[in-house]
Amino acid sequence: MIEFIDVGKTYSNNMKALEDINLRIEKGEFVAVIGPSGAGKSTLLRCINRMHDISEGKLIVDGVEVNSLKGKEIRKFRQRIGMIFQSYNLVTRISVIKNVLVSFAPKLPYWRKVLGLYTKEHKVKALTALDQVGILDKAYVRVDQLSGGQQQRVALARTLAQNPDIILADEPIASLDPVTAKQVMDDFTKINRETNISVIINIHHVEIALEYADRIIGIRKGKIVYDGKAEDLTEEN
Ligand code: ADP
Ligand code: ADP
């Protein structure tokens, strides 16, 4: 469960990116955060896994006050939260499975992760995650041989392999064509239904958000302007 209580976020340049945010997201929800560019969507997501510190209020994730975490605790906490980006953040010159295995060694320097140092159990988990997103047959293919949609699935598999409670996806379909974008959204839906992992997605394609998410949170100029079911959202909202 994620709870924002009167949360505000002001960046060091005095840019007030979030203001008076009050939200409660239950385990297993599929939430889309929508709003124009610069509204604060990315900031909202990045506060949840402590990529950014909040400036005001309280942010509680599964009973833990996120901003009270220190050093090692932050790393441990982040292991429970999968983060997916628009740009996939994969190492494109190595195989798909190596990219997924990286999630088992978050503390190692990148070159050591790439070289290996994984157990058989890790490998099984990685292959299982690839199967869940339908690209098991690509396990030993280099990432740069894959389409954008397949690469985003690798990113999703990498996150799944880490066995998270929450997946945060920051504009995961922004660089994909509409057909591929829907396939990736189908994957998120399937994962959410099958595993009960909470999924929170930033998205600027409103129609896609409405089609897939159970709940829509609309943000404008750092404030929540809509929070409700997708089917209740009308033009003037
Ligand atoms: P969105 O994801 O909705 O496009 P963001 O959360 O990225 O919005 O940004 C919200 C506002 O905060 C924007 O005005 C943006 O320029 C500003 N902003 C984002 N990141 C930073 C940062 N690291 N430092 C200063 N301002 C930032
Ligand atoms: P995204 O939309 O993927 O969050 P952006 O391209 O908007 O990323 O920004 C890239 C980086 O620059 C992010 O880390 C973001 O927080 C930061 N950033 C965005 N807007 C500003 C800003 N106005 N001032 C300083 N940093 C910013």
Side-chain angles (χ1 to χ4, degrees):
M1 202 256 289
I2 301 167
E3 193 168 19
F4 283 76
I5 304 166
D6 300 328
V7 169
K9 165 69 185 170
T10 306
Y11 283 110
S12 49
N13 59 356
N14 288 330
M15 173 69 216
K16 209 166 190 164
L18 295 176
E19 218 177 325
D20 300 326
I21 301 291
N22 285 286
L23 267 183
R24 210 185 141 102
I25 299 172
E26 303 295 338
K27 171 110 189 104
E29 277 195 85
F30 192 129
V31 180
V33 181
I34 63 172
S37 180
K41 303 182 295 296
S42 185
T43 303
L44 182 91
L45 235 64
R46 288 166 194 222
C47 287
I48 296 175
N49 74 346
R50 191 65 193 275
M51 271 174 84
H52 289 317
D53 288 327
I54 60 170
S55 326
E56 289 156 58
K58 264 189 189 179
L59 172 55
I60 300 166
V61 176
D62 288 336
V64 175
E65 198 175 331
V66 177
N67 272 49
S68 69
L69 297 172
K70 297 197 176 64
K72 253 190 202 164
E73 295 168 342
I74 298 177
R75 236 181 282 135
K76 229 175 140 192
F77 171 73
R78 287 210 184 113
Q79 269 293 293
R80 291 161 44 205
I81 304 181
M83 185 95 191
I84 304 243
F85 300 93
Q86 173 179 346
S87 52
Y88 323 129
N89 288 10
L90 301 169
V91 184
T92 57
R93 284 168 306 164
I94 61 171
S95 68
V96 164
I97 187 159
K98 279 194 177 161
N99 272 272
V100 177
L101 284 167
V102 160
S103 69
F104 298 116
K107 279 178 280 186
L108 294 176
Y110 221 79
W111 65 271
R112 286 187 65 188
K113 296 181 200 173
V114 170
L115 281 181
L117 300 171
Y118 304 99
T119 64
K120 195 170 173 186
E121 189 195 338
H122 286 156
K123 222 166 155 181
V124 170
K125 279 191 185 163
L127 291 169
T128 306
L130 288 170
D131 195 24
Q132 272 180 290
V133 297
I135 50 168
L136 183 56
D137 60 326
K138 303 284 188 228
Y140 295 96
V141 173
R142 264 169 58 148
V143 167
D144 54 13
Q145 306 294 309
L146 302 182
S147 69
Q150 288 168 333
Q151 291 193 29
Q152 190 56 291
R153 288 193 174 123
V154 177
L156 185 54
R158 179 182 54 191
T159 294
L160 282 174
Q162 125 195 11
N163 197 20
D165 297 316
I166 301 166
I167 293 179
L168 306 175
D170 198 359
E171 297 283 0
I173 58 166
S175 22
L176 303 175
D177 65 81
V179 174
T180 313
K182 286 199 167 195
Q183 287 167 354
V184 169
M185 290 303 289
D186 283 334
D187 288 337
F188 278 107
T189 307
K190 180 170 164 268
I191 298 303
N192 172 255
R193 302 281 185 266
E194 286 176 1
T195 63
N196 207 33
I197 296 173
S198 312
V199 175
I200 307 171
I201 294 193
N202 282 348
I203 201 165
H204 64 254
H205 300 71
V206 179
E207 329 73 57
I208 293 189
L210 294 178
E211 188 177 336
Y212 286 91
D214 304 323
R215 175 176 173 190
I216 303 284
I217 294 171
I219 304 198
R220 201 166 292 167
K221 294 185 180 159
K223 293 191 173 180
I224 294 177
V225 293
Y226 181 82
D227 183 359
K229 285 188 178 169
E231 58 262 36
D232 297 338
L233 186 64
T234 56
E235 282 287 321
E236 56 278 20
N237 289 317

